[in-house]
Amino acid sequence: IVGESTSEKPSGNSYISYHGIVARDFDLKLEIKVENGGGSGIQYRSQVGLPWRRARPGDPPLNLNWMMTGPQADFWFPVNPQVFVWTGQFYSENTPMGILAWRGQVVQSVPGHAQRLVGNIGDRAALGGYVKINDWNQYLIMARGGTFIHVINGQLMAVYVDDDPSSSNNVPGLIGIEIEGTPCKVSVRNIWLKKRS
């Protein structure tokens, strides 16, 4: 799967989503490469058809049937240090929650309390060294109950534990791929999914 955004044909925030499976607990493996700038993310347990919070003037018209809201495993162009720190993190797309676990963090969220850092995997910049530039990267995403694990090229990047059963992170949903930014080229191959519930 290849998505490309150019100055002649900008994509804005855009997604390709698979509507054949709704999954809550799963293992998802794929290979991803981002070239030319911009970024991507792997959406999971995500919904479509919800109002879009981040629409900007000049963005192409949105088809909400394909815009995805929910958990995201980020992956950004490795050469841009301003956004590269996002690769591997747990992000809540199109919600007020935003970044919930930075790369290198283990974070827990408990109902009625502020989320808290419960552990460090490693230095955020050093973990970036596991990401290949202009080459294929293997991404593994595991979701079990309220626990979410992001692994890139065999290295644990982020863990988020959401102990709120009513959280939007804890509902079954769709899986998809995002493209964001111009210029940007996102390629994904060898997608493998094992649904557990």
Side-chain angles (χ1 to χ4, degrees):
I1 299 170
V2 178
E4 192 161 10
S5 180
T6 65
S7 53
E8 296 80 24
K9 292 186 177 180
S11 68
N13 254 66
S14 189
Y15 304 81
I16 184 167
S17 54
Y18 180 59
H19 292 237
I21 293 176
V22 175
R24 183 172 189 271
D25 291 359
F26 60 86
D27 297 339
L28 173 64
K29 284 186 196 176
L30 53 80
E31 291 179 290
I32 186 168
K33 176 169 49 173
V34 174
E35 303 169 272
N36 304 333
S40 180
I42 297 97
Q43 293 292 136
Y44 57 95
R45 289 190 184 177
S46 291
Q47 315 302 315
V48 295
L50 300 176
W52 194 248
R53 301 168 46 86
R54 299 185 325 159
R56 292 172 240 159
D59 279 352
L62 299 175
N63 181 342
L64 294 180
N65 292 325
W66 294 96
M67 299 301 285
M68 302 192 79
T69 298
Q72 183 184 97
D74 266 329
F75 194 93
W76 284 78
F77 184 55
V79 179
N80 184 340
Q82 294 176 327
V83 296
F84 182 47
V85 295
W86 298 337
T87 295
Q89 74 182 4
F90 183 100
Y91 179 70
S92 183
E93 180 72 276
N94 195 40
T95 77
M97 292 183 278
I99 298 169
L100 295 173
W102 286 95
R103 179 171 71 207
Q105 293 184 332
V106 179
V107 175
Q108 180 185 31
S109 179
V110 176
H113 300 279
Q115 67 182 38
R116 64 187 185 103
L117 179 68
V118 296
N120 286 299
I121 298 160
D123 177 76
R124 189 177 306 155
L127 289 171
Y130 287 89
V131 181
K132 298 174 186 175
I133 298 172
N134 292 324
D135 199 356
W136 293 101
N137 291 268
Q138 186 182 76
Y139 218 134
L140 168 64
I141 301 155
M142 300 172 73
R144 300 286 189 287
T147 301
F148 310 91
I149 299 169
H150 296 173
V151 177
I152 297 177
N153 297 324
Q155 173 60 50
L156 181 63
M157 292 288 177
V159 176
Y160 183 63
V161 179
D162 190 339
D163 287 329
D164 182 355
S166 66
S167 167
S168 61
N169 296 320
N170 285 327
V171 297
L174 303 174
I175 290 170
I177 309 294
E178 175 197 36
I179 185 171
E180 181 177 352
T182 301
C184 183
K185 182 179 180 183
V186 177
S187 303
V188 177
R189 69 181 185 186
N190 296 330
I191 302 169
W192 178 89
L193 175 67
K194 182 173 185 178
K195 182 179 175 184
R196 297 181 181 273
S197 69

